[in-house]
PDB file of all heavy atoms in Angstrom:
ATOM      1  N   PHE I   3       5.123   1.784  -2.820  1.00  0.00           N
ATOM      2  CA  PHE I   3       6.331   2.401  -2.259  1.00  0.00           C
ATOM      3  C   PHE I   3       7.286   2.828  -3.375  1.00  0.00           C
ATOM      4  O   PHE I   3       8.331   2.209  -3.553  1.00  0.00           O
ATOM      5  CB  PHE I   3       7.063   1.410  -1.345  1.00  0.00           C
ATOM      6  CG  PHE I   3       6.254   0.880  -0.201  1.00  0.00           C
ATOM      7  CD1 PHE I   3       6.110  -0.479  -0.019  1.00  0.00           C
ATOM      8  CD2 PHE I   3       5.669   1.726   0.715  1.00  0.00           C
ATOM      9  CE1 PHE I   3       5.383  -0.994   1.043  1.00  0.00           C
ATOM     10  CE2 PHE I   3       4.937   1.221   1.788  1.00  0.00           C
ATOM     11  CZ  PHE I   3       4.795  -0.139   1.953  1.00  0.00           C
ATOM     12  N   PRO I   4       6.969   3.889  -4.135  1.00  0.00           N
ATOM     13  CA  PRO I   4       7.900   4.310  -5.186  1.00  0.00           C
ATOM     14  C   PRO I   4       9.234   4.791  -4.598  1.00  0.00           C
ATOM     15  O   PRO I   4      10.267   4.703  -5.246  1.00  0.00           O
ATOM     16  CB  PRO I   4       7.165   5.441  -5.907  1.00  0.00           C
ATOM     17  CG  PRO I   4       6.074   5.868  -5.000  1.00  0.00           C
ATOM     18  CD  PRO I   4       5.770   4.715  -4.094  1.00  0.00           C
ATOM     19  N   GLU I   5       9.181   5.258  -3.367  1.00  0.00           N
ATOM     20  CA  GLU I   5      10.396   5.582  -2.623  1.00  0.00           C
ATOM     21  C   GLU I   5      10.710   4.361  -1.741  1.00  0.00           C
ATOM     22  O   GLU I   5      10.011   3.363  -1.813  1.00  0.00           O
ATOM     23  CB  GLU I   5      10.193   6.841  -1.765  1.00  0.00           C
ATOM     24  CG  GLU I   5       9.182   6.717  -0.651  1.00  0.00           C
ATOM     25  CD  GLU I   5       7.698   6.724  -1.070  1.00  0.00           C
ATOM     26  OE1 GLU I   5       7.361   7.126  -2.179  1.00  0.00           O
ATOM     27  OE2 GLU I   5       6.896   6.285  -0.236  1.00  0.00           O
ATOM     28  N   ALA I   6      11.712   4.434  -0.942  1.00  0.00           N
ATOM     29  CA  ALA I   6      12.051   3.308  -0.065  1.00  0.00           C
ATOM     30  C   ALA I   6      10.896   3.038   0.898  1.00  0.00           C
ATOM     31  O   ALA I   6      10.337   3.974   1.476  1.00  0.00           O
ATOM     32  CB  ALA I   6      13.321   3.618   0.716  1.00  0.00           C
ATOM     33  N   PRO I   7      10.515   1.766   1.089  1.00  0.00           N
ATOM     34  CA  PRO I   7       9.424   1.468   2.028  1.00  0.00           C
ATOM     35  C   PRO I   7       9.850   1.722   3.475  1.00  0.00           C
ATOM     36  O   PRO I   7      11.014   1.565   3.822  1.00  0.00           O
ATOM     37  CB  PRO I   7       9.155  -0.020   1.801  1.00  0.00           C
ATOM     38  CG  PRO I   7      10.409  -0.559   1.229  1.00  0.00           C
ATOM     39  CD  PRO I   7      11.063   0.564   0.469  1.00  0.00           C
ATOM     40  N   PHE I   8       8.905   2.133   4.268  1.00  0.00           N
ATOM     41  CA  PHE I   8       9.158   2.304   5.697  1.00  0.00           C
ATOM     42  C   PHE I   8       8.955   0.959   6.389  1.00  0.00           C
ATOM     43  O   PHE I   8       8.370   0.038   5.824  1.00  0.00           O
ATOM     44  CB  PHE I   8       8.223   3.370   6.278  1.00  0.00           C
ATOM     45  CG  PHE I   8       6.796   2.917   6.409  1.00  0.00           C
ATOM     46  CD1 PHE I   8       6.318   2.438   7.616  1.00  0.00           C
ATOM     47  CD2 PHE I   8       5.924   2.957   5.328  1.00  0.00           C
ATOM     48  CE1 PHE I   8       5.002   2.008   7.741  1.00  0.00           C
ATOM     49  CE2 PHE I   8       4.607   2.535   5.445  1.00  0.00           C
ATOM     50  CZ  PHE I   8       4.146   2.063   6.652  1.00  0.00           C
ATOM     51  N   GLN I   9       9.423   0.839   7.602  1.00  0.00           N
ATOM     52  CA  GLN I   9       9.180  -0.335   8.436  1.00  0.00           C
ATOM     53  C   GLN I   9       8.568   0.134   9.740  1.00  0.00           C
ATOM     54  O   GLN I   9       8.936   1.179  10.264  1.00  0.00           O
ATOM     55  CB  GLN I   9      10.477  -1.100   8.718  1.00  0.00           C
ATOM     56  CG  GLN I   9      11.062  -1.799   7.508  1.00  0.00           C
ATOM     57  CD  GLN I   9      10.144  -2.880   6.961  1.00  0.00           C
ATOM     58  OE1 GLN I   9       9.726  -3.774   7.672  1.00  0.00           O
ATOM     59  NE2 GLN I   9       9.799  -2.773   5.685  1.00  0.00           N
ATOM     60  N   GLY I  10       7.618  -0.624  10.249  1.00  0.00           N
ATOM     61  CA  GLY I  10       6.963  -0.266  11.498  1.00  0.00           C
ATOM     62  C   GLY I  10       5.713   0.546  11.253  1.00  0.00           C
ATOM     63  O   GLY I  10       4.967   0.280  10.318  1.00  0.00           O
ATOM     64  N   PHE I  11       5.492   1.558  12.082  1.00  0.00           N
ATOM     65  CA  PHE I  11       4.291   2.396  12.027  1.00  0.00           C
ATOM     66  C   PHE I  11       4.614   3.755  11.424  1.00  0.00           C
ATOM     67  O   PHE I  11       5.644   4.346  11.738  1.00  0.00           O
ATOM     68  CB  PHE I  11       3.712   2.579  13.432  1.00  0.00           C
ATOM     69  CG  PHE I  11       2.501   3.476  13.469  1.00  0.00           C
ATOM     70  CD1 PHE I  11       1.256   2.991  13.116  1.00  0.00           C
ATOM     71  CD2 PHE I  11       2.621   4.809  13.837  1.00  0.00           C
ATOM     72  CE1 PHE I  11       0.128   3.813  13.133  1.00  0.00           C
ATOM     73  CE2 PHE I  11       1.505   5.639  13.860  1.00  0.00           C
ATOM     74  CZ  PHE I  11       0.263   5.133  13.507  1.00  0.00           C
ATOM     75  N   LEU I  12       3.711   4.260  10.570  1.00  0.00           N
ATOM     76  CA  LEU I  12       3.844   5.593   9.987  1.00  0.00           C
ATOM     77  C   LEU I  12       2.505   6.314  10.147  1.00  0.00           C
ATOM     78  O   LEU I  12       1.473   5.816   9.676  1.00  0.00           O
ATOM     79  CB  LEU I  12       4.208   5.499   8.504  1.00  0.00           C
ATOM     80  CG  LEU I  12       4.484   6.812   7.786  1.00  0.00           C
ATOM     81  CD1 LEU I  12       5.813   7.419   8.278  1.00  0.00           C
ATOM     82  CD2 LEU I  12       4.552   6.588   6.285  1.00  0.00           C
ATOM     83  N   PRO I  13       2.489   7.474  10.819  1.00  0.00           N
ATOM     84  CA  PRO I  13       1.233   8.215  10.971  1.00  0.00           C
ATOM     85  C   PRO I  13       0.634   8.587   9.611  1.00  0.00           C
ATOM     86  O   PRO I  13       1.359   8.886   8.658  1.00  0.00           O
ATOM     87  CB  PRO I  13       1.650   9.476  11.744  1.00  0.00           C
ATOM     88  CG  PRO I  13       2.910   9.087  12.456  1.00  0.00           C
ATOM     89  CD  PRO I  13       3.604   8.122  11.521  1.00  0.00           C
ATOM     90  N   ALA I  14      -0.685   8.567   9.521  1.00  0.00           N
ATOM     91  CA  ALA I  14      -1.405   8.812   8.272  1.00  0.00           C
ATOM     92  C   ALA I  14      -1.073  10.154   7.645  1.00  0.00           C
ATOM     93  O   ALA I  14      -1.057  10.279   6.417  1.00  0.00           O
ATOM     94  CB  ALA I  14      -2.907   8.692   8.505  1.00  0.00           C
ATOM     95  N   GLU I  15      -0.789  11.163   8.457  1.00  0.00           N
ATOM     96  CA  GLU I  15      -0.537  12.499   7.890  1.00  0.00           C
ATOM     97  C   GLU I  15       0.807  12.600   7.165  1.00  0.00           C
ATOM     98  O   GLU I  15       1.048  13.566   6.447  1.00  0.00           O
ATOM     99  CB  GLU I  15      -0.664  13.597   8.959  1.00  0.00           C
ATOM    100  CG  GLU I  15       0.305  13.494  10.098  1.00  0.00           C
ATOM    101  CD  GLU I  15      -0.215  12.687  11.277  1.00  0.00           C
ATOM    102  OE1 GLU I  15      -1.280  12.046  11.162  1.00  0.00           O
ATOM    103  OE2 GLU I  15       0.451  12.693  12.316  1.00  0.00           O
ATOM    104  N   LEU I  16       1.668  11.605   7.296  1.00  0.00           N
ATOM    105  CA  LEU I  16       2.978  11.666   6.643  1.00  0.00           C
ATOM    106  C   LEU I  16       2.976  11.123   5.215  1.00  0.00           C
ATOM    107  O   LEU I  16       3.887  11.418   4.442  1.00  0.00           O
ATOM    108  CB  LEU I  16       4.025  10.930   7.476  1.00  0.00           C
ATOM    109  CG  LEU I  16       4.279  11.516   8.862  1.00  0.00           C
ATOM    110  CD1 LEU I  16       5.374  10.742   9.576  1.00  0.00           C
ATOM    111  CD2 LEU I  16       4.628  13.002   8.770  1.00  0.00           C
ATOM    112  N   CYS I  17       1.979  10.321   4.847  1.00  0.00           N
ATOM    113  CA  CYS I  17       1.891   9.800   3.489  1.00  0.00           C
ATOM    114  C   CYS I  17       0.484   9.259   3.255  1.00  0.00           C
ATOM    115  O   CYS I  17      -0.121   8.710   4.171  1.00  0.00           O
ATOM    116  CB  CYS I  17       2.916   8.688   3.259  1.00  0.00           C
ATOM    117  SG  CYS I  17       3.027   8.223   1.524  1.00  0.00           S
ATOM    118  N   ASP I  18       0.005   9.380   2.023  1.00  0.00           N
ATOM    119  CA  ASP I  18      -1.340   8.932   1.703  1.00  0.00           C
ATOM    120  C   ASP I  18      -1.300   7.571   1.000  1.00  0.00           C
ATOM    121  O   ASP I  18      -1.506   7.480  -0.211  1.00  0.00           O
ATOM    122  CB  ASP I  18      -2.056   9.974   0.840  1.00  0.00           C
ATOM    123  CG  ASP I  18      -3.513   9.636   0.592  1.00  0.00           C
ATOM    124  OD1 ASP I  18      -4.015   8.665   1.190  1.00  0.00           O
ATOM    125  OD2 ASP I  18      -4.145  10.332  -0.209  1.00  0.00           O
ATOM    126  N   TYR I  19      -1.030   6.537   1.751  1.00  0.00           N
ATOM    127  CA  TYR I  19      -1.015   5.183   1.182  1.00  0.00           C
ATOM    128  C   TYR I  19      -2.415   4.718   0.813  1.00  0.00           C
ATOM    129  O   TYR I  19      -2.575   3.853  -0.032  1.00  0.00           O
ATOM    130  CB  TYR I  19      -0.349   4.187   2.135  1.00  0.00           C
ATOM    131  CG  TYR I  19       1.143   4.393   2.221  1.00  0.00           C
ATOM    132  CD1 TYR I  19       1.727   4.911   3.364  1.00  0.00           C
ATOM    133  CD2 TYR I  19       1.962   4.060   1.153  1.00  0.00           C
ATOM    134  CE1 TYR I  19       3.096   5.110   3.442  1.00  0.00           C
ATOM    135  CE2 TYR I  19       3.332   4.260   1.218  1.00  0.00           C
ATOM    136  CZ  TYR I  19       3.896   4.780   2.365  1.00  0.00           C
ATOM    137  OH  TYR I  19       5.252   4.974   2.418  1.00  0.00           O
ATOM    138  N   ARG I  20      -3.419   5.287   1.434  1.00  0.00           N
ATOM    139  CA  ARG I  20      -4.802   4.932   1.107  1.00  0.00           C
ATOM    140  C   ARG I  20      -5.088   5.237  -0.366  1.00  0.00           C
ATOM    141  O   ARG I  20      -5.608   4.393  -1.090  1.00  0.00           O
ATOM    142  CB  ARG I  20      -5.770   5.688   2.008  1.00  0.00           C
ATOM    143  CG  ARG I  20      -7.230   5.476   1.632  1.00  0.00           C
ATOM    144  CD  ARG I  20      -8.146   6.330   2.472  1.00  0.00           C
ATOM    145  NE  ARG I  20      -8.670   5.496   3.541  1.00  0.00           N
ATOM    146  CZ  ARG I  20      -9.394   5.954   4.543  1.00  0.00           C
ATOM    147  NH1 ARG I  20      -9.648   7.235   4.652  1.00  0.00           N
ATOM    148  NH2 ARG I  20      -9.871   5.137   5.451  1.00  0.00           N
ATOM    149  N   SER I  21      -4.745   6.430  -0.820  1.00  0.00           N
ATOM    150  CA  SER I  21      -4.980   6.794  -2.227  1.00  0.00           C
ATOM    151  C   SER I  21      -4.187   5.907  -3.180  1.00  0.00           C
ATOM    152  O   SER I  21      -4.705   5.493  -4.218  1.00  0.00           O
ATOM    153  CB  SER I  21      -4.616   8.256  -2.471  1.00  0.00           C
ATOM    154  OG  SER I  21      -5.522   9.093  -1.808  1.00  0.00           O
ATOM    155  N   ARG I  22      -2.949   5.626  -2.835  1.00  0.00           N
ATOM    156  CA  ARG I  22      -2.130   4.742  -3.677  1.00  0.00           C
ATOM    157  C   ARG I  22      -2.751   3.349  -3.762  1.00  0.00           C
ATOM    158  O   ARG I  22      -2.785   2.739  -4.824  1.00  0.00           O
ATOM    159  CB  ARG I  22      -0.708   4.634  -3.138  1.00  0.00           C
ATOM    160  CG  ARG I  22       0.088   5.890  -3.281  1.00  0.00           C
ATOM    161  CD  ARG I  22       1.483   5.685  -2.750  1.00  0.00           C
ATOM    162  NE  ARG I  22       2.182   6.956  -2.640  1.00  0.00           N
ATOM    163  CZ  ARG I  22       3.402   7.082  -2.149  1.00  0.00           C
ATOM    164  NH1 ARG I  22       4.065   6.025  -1.731  1.00  0.00           N
ATOM    165  NH2 ARG I  22       3.972   8.265  -2.074  1.00  0.00           N
ATOM    166  N   THR I  23      -3.245   2.876  -2.641  1.00  0.00           N
ATOM    167  CA  THR I  23      -3.880   1.558  -2.616  1.00  0.00           C
ATOM    168  C   THR I  23      -5.112   1.541  -3.510  1.00  0.00           C
ATOM    169  O   THR I  23      -5.288   0.631  -4.319  1.00  0.00           O
ATOM    170  CB  THR I  23      -4.247   1.163  -1.171  1.00  0.00           C
ATOM    171  OG1 THR I  23      -3.058   1.073  -0.397  1.00  0.00           O
ATOM    172  CG2 THR I  23      -4.997  -0.158  -1.128  1.00  0.00           C
ATOM    173  N   LEU I  24      -5.960   2.546  -3.375  1.00  0.00           N
ATOM    174  CA  LEU I  24      -7.180   2.600  -4.180  1.00  0.00           C
ATOM    175  C   LEU I  24      -6.868   2.745  -5.669  1.00  0.00           C
ATOM    176  O   LEU I  24      -7.558   2.171  -6.513  1.00  0.00           O
ATOM    177  CB  LEU I  24      -8.080   3.736  -3.705  1.00  0.00           C
ATOM    178  CG  LEU I  24      -8.634   3.586  -2.288  1.00  0.00           C
ATOM    179  CD1 LEU I  24      -9.418   4.825  -1.883  1.00  0.00           C
ATOM    180  CD2 LEU I  24      -9.468   2.332  -2.142  1.00  0.00           C
ATOM    181  N   LYS I  25      -5.833   3.475  -6.007  1.00  0.00           N
ATOM    182  CA  LYS I  25      -5.482   3.722  -7.403  1.00  0.00           C
ATOM    183  C   LYS I  25      -4.859   2.502  -8.092  1.00  0.00           C
ATOM    184  O   LYS I  25      -5.155   2.209  -9.240  1.00  0.00           O
ATOM    185  CB  LYS I  25      -4.518   4.905  -7.485  1.00  0.00           C
ATOM    186  CG  LYS I  25      -4.127   5.284  -8.899  1.00  0.00           C
ATOM    187  CD  LYS I  25      -3.260   6.519  -8.914  1.00  0.00           C
ATOM    188  CE  LYS I  25      -2.896   6.901 -10.340  1.00  0.00           C
ATOM    189  NZ  LYS I  25      -2.069   8.119 -10.366  1.00  0.00           N
ATOM    190  N   TYR I  26      -4.001   1.770  -7.377  1.00  0.00           N
ATOM    191  CA  TYR I  26      -3.189   0.734  -8.021  1.00  0.00           C
ATOM    192  C   TYR I  26      -3.570  -0.700  -7.658  1.00  0.00           C
ATOM    193  O   TYR I  26      -2.928  -1.641  -8.101  1.00  0.00           O
ATOM    194  CB  TYR I  26      -1.709   0.949  -7.686  1.00  0.00           C
ATOM    195  CG  TYR I  26      -1.152   2.242  -8.219  1.00  0.00           C
ATOM    196  CD1 TYR I  26      -0.747   3.250  -7.353  1.00  0.00           C
ATOM    197  CD2 TYR I  26      -1.048   2.458  -9.582  1.00  0.00           C
ATOM    198  CE1 TYR I  26      -0.227   4.442  -7.842  1.00  0.00           C
ATOM    199  CE2 TYR I  26      -0.531   3.643 -10.081  1.00  0.00           C
ATOM    200  CZ  TYR I  26      -0.123   4.626  -9.198  1.00  0.00           C
ATOM    201  OH  TYR I  26       0.379   5.801  -9.694  1.00  0.00           O
ATOM    202  N   SER I  27      -4.594  -0.890  -6.880  1.00  0.00           N
ATOM    203  CA  SER I  27      -4.907  -2.241  -6.403  1.00  0.00           C
ATOM    204  C   SER I  27      -5.641  -3.076  -7.442  1.00  0.00           C
ATOM    205  O   SER I  27      -6.279  -2.553  -8.356  1.00  0.00           O
ATOM    206  CB  SER I  27      -5.725  -2.171  -5.120  1.00  0.00           C
ATOM    207  OG  SER I  27      -6.950  -1.509  -5.357  1.00  0.00           O
ATOM    208  N   PHE I  28      -5.534  -4.397  -7.264  1.00  0.00           N
ATOM    209  CA  PHE I  28      -6.267  -5.369  -8.076  1.00  0.00           C
ATOM    210  C   PHE I  28      -6.408  -6.629  -7.233  1.00  0.00           C
ATOM    211  O   PHE I  28      -5.853  -6.723  -6.137  1.00  0.00           O
ATOM    212  CB  PHE I  28      -5.562  -5.637  -9.419  1.00  0.00           C
ATOM    213  CG  PHE I  28      -4.150  -6.141  -9.299  1.00  0.00           C
ATOM    214  CD1 PHE I  28      -3.860  -7.495  -9.398  1.00  0.00           C
ATOM    215  CD2 PHE I  28      -3.093  -5.252  -9.096  1.00  0.00           C
ATOM    216  CE1 PHE I  28      -2.559  -7.964  -9.293  1.00  0.00           C
ATOM    217  CE2 PHE I  28      -1.789  -5.714  -8.991  1.00  0.00           C
ATOM    218  CZ  PHE I  28      -1.524  -7.067  -9.092  1.00  0.00           C
ATOM    219  N   TYR I  29      -7.150  -7.616  -7.735  1.00  0.00           N
ATOM    220  CA  TYR I  29      -7.438  -8.828  -6.967  1.00  0.00           C
ATOM    221  C   TYR I  29      -6.810 -10.052  -7.631  1.00  0.00           C
ATOM    222  O   TYR I  29      -6.883 -10.203  -8.850  1.00  0.00           O
ATOM    223  CB  TYR I  29      -8.959  -9.034  -6.855  1.00  0.00           C
ATOM    224  CG  TYR I  29      -9.632  -7.984  -6.015  1.00  0.00           C
ATOM    225  CD1 TYR I  29      -9.972  -6.744  -6.550  1.00  0.00           C
ATOM    226  CD2 TYR I  29      -9.909  -8.214  -4.677  1.00  0.00           C
ATOM    227  CE1 TYR I  29     -10.579  -5.769  -5.772  1.00  0.00           C
ATOM    228  CE2 TYR I  29     -10.518  -7.249  -3.898  1.00  0.00           C
ATOM    229  CZ  TYR I  29     -10.840  -6.031  -4.449  1.00  0.00           C
ATOM    230  OH  TYR I  29     -11.434  -5.069  -3.672  1.00  0.00           O
ATOM    231  N   ILE I  30      -6.190 -10.896  -6.801  1.00  0.00           N
ATOM    232  CA  ILE I  30      -5.693 -12.196  -7.270  1.00  0.00           C
ATOM    233  C   ILE I  30      -5.953 -13.227  -6.169  1.00  0.00           C
ATOM    234  O   ILE I  30      -6.261 -12.872  -5.035  1.00  0.00           O
ATOM    235  CB  ILE I  30      -4.189 -12.181  -7.643  1.00  0.00           C
ATOM    236  CG1 ILE I  30      -3.304 -11.971  -6.414  1.00  0.00           C
ATOM    237  CG2 ILE I  30      -3.890 -11.151  -8.718  1.00  0.00           C
ATOM    238  CD1 ILE I  30      -1.833 -12.231  -6.686  1.00  0.00           C
ATOM    239  N   GLU I  31      -5.791 -14.496  -6.515  1.00  0.00           N
ATOM    240  CA  GLU I  31      -5.988 -15.561  -5.532  1.00  0.00           C
ATOM    241  C   GLU I  31      -4.999 -15.394  -4.388  1.00  0.00           C
ATOM    242  O   GLU I  31      -3.818 -15.114  -4.604  1.00  0.00           O
ATOM    243  CB  GLU I  31      -5.814 -16.931  -6.178  1.00  0.00           C
ATOM    244  CG  GLU I  31      -6.957 -17.300  -7.085  1.00  0.00           C
ATOM    245  CD  GLU I  31      -6.801 -18.674  -7.699  1.00  0.00           C
ATOM    246  OE1 GLU I  31      -5.759 -19.336  -7.496  1.00  0.00           O
ATOM    247  OE2 GLU I  31      -7.736 -19.097  -8.392  1.00  0.00           O
ATOM    248  N   ARG I  32      -5.504 -15.622  -3.180  1.00  0.00           N
ATOM    249  CA  ARG I  32      -4.682 -15.421  -1.981  1.00  0.00           C
ATOM    250  C   ARG I  32      -3.413 -16.267  -2.003  1.00  0.00           C
ATOM    251  O   ARG I  32      -2.343 -15.780  -1.661  1.00  0.00           O
ATOM    252  CB  ARG I  32      -5.511 -15.731  -0.731  1.00  0.00           C
ATOM    253  CG  ARG I  32      -4.734 -15.531   0.537  1.00  0.00           C
ATOM    254  CD  ARG I  32      -5.577 -15.692   1.752  1.00  0.00           C
ATOM    255  NE  ARG I  32      -4.754 -15.619   2.947  1.00  0.00           N
ATOM    256  CZ  ARG I  32      -5.210 -15.624   4.167  1.00  0.00           C
ATOM    257  NH1 ARG I  32      -6.510 -15.681   4.371  1.00  0.00           N
ATOM    258  NH2 ARG I  32      -4.400 -15.567   5.190  1.00  0.00           N
ATOM    259  N   GLU I  33      -3.513 -17.518  -2.414  1.00  0.00           N
ATOM    260  CA  GLU I  33      -2.323 -18.373  -2.390  1.00  0.00           C
ATOM    261  C   GLU I  33      -1.243 -17.850  -3.334  1.00  0.00           C
ATOM    262  O   GLU I  33      -0.053 -17.989  -3.046  1.00  0.00           O
ATOM    263  CB  GLU I  33      -2.661 -19.835  -2.667  1.00  0.00           C
ATOM    264  CG  GLU I  33      -3.227 -20.119  -4.025  1.00  0.00           C
ATOM    265  CD  GLU I  33      -3.659 -21.571  -4.191  1.00  0.00           C
ATOM    266  OE1 GLU I  33      -3.915 -22.257  -3.177  1.00  0.00           O
ATOM    267  OE2 GLU I  33      -3.739 -22.012  -5.344  1.00  0.00           O
ATOM    268  N   LYS I  34      -1.625 -17.219  -4.434  1.00  0.00           N
ATOM    269  CA  LYS I  34      -0.645 -16.606  -5.335  1.00  0.00           C
ATOM    270  C   LYS I  34      -0.041 -15.359  -4.701  1.00  0.00           C
ATOM    271  O   LYS I  34       1.161 -15.127  -4.799  1.00  0.00           O
ATOM    272  CB  LYS I  34      -1.292 -16.259  -6.679  1.00  0.00           C
ATOM    273  CG  LYS I  34      -1.652 -17.468  -7.502  1.00  0.00           C
ATOM    274  CD  LYS I  34      -2.317 -17.077  -8.809  1.00  0.00           C
ATOM    275  CE  LYS I  34      -2.740 -18.320  -9.568  1.00  0.00           C
ATOM    276  NZ  LYS I  34      -3.467 -17.982 -10.808  1.00  0.00           N
ATOM    277  N   ALA I  35      -0.883 -14.563  -4.071  1.00  0.00           N
ATOM    278  CA  ALA I  35      -0.408 -13.342  -3.407  1.00  0.00           C
ATOM    279  C   ALA I  35       0.587 -13.671  -2.298  1.00  0.00           C
ATOM    280  O   ALA I  35       1.589 -12.974  -2.128  1.00  0.00           O
ATOM    281  CB  ALA I  35      -1.587 -12.564  -2.842  1.00  0.00           C
TER     282      ALA I  35
END
């Protein structure tokens, strides 16, 4: 969310969070997350 995060539901055509997730994601232990 480089801009202000939304709350609730946002239709997929309004923003591509999928690409951001794939680009910037990494894995850590669940309890730390």
Side-chain angles (χ1 to χ4, degrees):
F3 302 125
E5 65 285 343
F8 73 97
Q9 291 297 306
F11 178 80
L12 185 70
E15 62 269 9
L16 297 182
C17 190
D18 186 7
Y19 289 109
R20 174 185 261 173
S21 291
R22 290 181 191 177
T23 298
L24 295 175
K25 182 176 181 179
Y26 296 114
S27 61
F28 58 98
Y29 292 82
I30 67 168
E31 288 181 356
R32 181 174 174 175
E33 64 185 22
K34 291 179 183 176

